């Protein structure tokens, strides 16, 4: 009798909820929303400001993502790659295959992919500084193209 009553309550709950609980999307975190905005709308100056904001807030993993996007923007402005939404990192590396900085871009890309896609947690500012140093080469390229 209790089992039948329990099943009846379960069926009533599911019927009243219209199955919304099954198809309910998880809320996006602030980090995910910011990333979508950065990918679509940010200039090089905005990326640099976002990097400083992320660093000051201790969002080091996000700052690595922003540094990678900044690197792509600089390479695009230098006409070394053609940045496009949906293009893979490997496609960018292929475009740079004959460029002098290809090894540095490969290292920076590998670092980014490990941190971002591996969900690697960066513990402190010192660790972040070590990791982000793989993106330092791009500042020299930026200065040459100004």
């Amino acid at each position: 009798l209790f089992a039948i009553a329990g099943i009846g309550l379960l069926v009533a709950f599911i019927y009243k909820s219209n199955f919304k609980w099954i198809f309910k999307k998880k809320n996006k975190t602030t980090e995910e929303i910011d990333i979508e905005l950065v990918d679509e709308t940010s200039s090089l100056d905005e990326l640099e400001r976002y990097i400083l904001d992320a660093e000051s807030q201790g969002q080091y993993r996000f700052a690595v993502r922003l540094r990678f996007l900044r690197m792509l923007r600089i390479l695009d402005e230098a006409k070394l790659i053609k940045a496009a939404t949906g293009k893979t990192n490997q496609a960018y590396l292929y475009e740079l295959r004959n460029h002098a900085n290809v090894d540095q871009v490969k290292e920076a890309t590998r670092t980014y992919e490990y941190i971002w896609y591996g969900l690697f947690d960066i513990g402190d500012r010192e660790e972040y500084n070590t990791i982000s140093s793989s993106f330092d080469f791009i500042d020299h390229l930026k200065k040459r193209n100004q």
Side-chain angles (χ1 to χ4, degrees), residues 64 111 115 120 122 126-135:
V64 169
T111 298
I115 300 297
F120 184 81
I122 302 171
E126 186 176 323
E127 186 177 12
Y128 168 72
N129 288 340
T130 302
I131 290 167
S132 67
S133 67
S134 63
F135 294 95

Side-chain angles (χ1 to χ4, degrees), residues 23-91:
F23 303 107
K24 182 179 173 184
K25 290 183 179 179
K26 293 183 180 180
N27 291 335
K28 290 186 176 186
T29 64
T30 303
E31 186 174 288
E32 290 172 332
I33 293 168
D34 288 343
I35 290 166
E36 289 174 7
L37 293 174
V38 168
D39 282 347
E40 298 296 325
T41 64
S42 294
S43 67
L44 188 56
D45 291 336
E46 289 173 321
L47 281 172
E48 290 171 353
R49 185 173 37 87
Y50 290 143
I51 290 168
L52 293 174
D53 289 346
E55 290 172 345
S56 69
Q57 295 172 15
Q59 295 181 335
Y60 300 124
R61 184 173 167 267
F62 187 43
V64 169
R65 164 80 173 162
L66 294 168
R67 283 183 171 270
F68 180 75
L69 292 174
R70 178 180 176 268
M71 178 185 75
L72 292 180
R73 288 286 191 317
I74 292 169
L75 291 170
D76 183 60
E77 288 180 4
K79 307 275 190 254
L80 297 175
I81 63 169
K82 177 71 174 148
T85 303
K87 198 170 196 179
T88 67
N89 296 339
Q90 293 305 313

Side-chain angles (χ1 to χ4, degrees), residues 80-115:
L80 297 175
I81 63 169
K82 177 71 174 148
T85 303
K87 198 170 196 179
T88 67
N89 296 339
Q90 293 305 313
Y92 292 128
L93 291 173
Y94 182 77
E95 286 182 63
L96 289 164
R97 67 190 176 281
N98 296 324
H99 192 269
N101 294 96
V102 68
D103 290 333
Q104 292 168 308
V105 175
K106 278 182 186 178
E107 179 188 345
T109 301
R110 192 175 314 116
T111 298
Y112 160 70
E113 289 175 345
Y114 178 74
I115 300 297

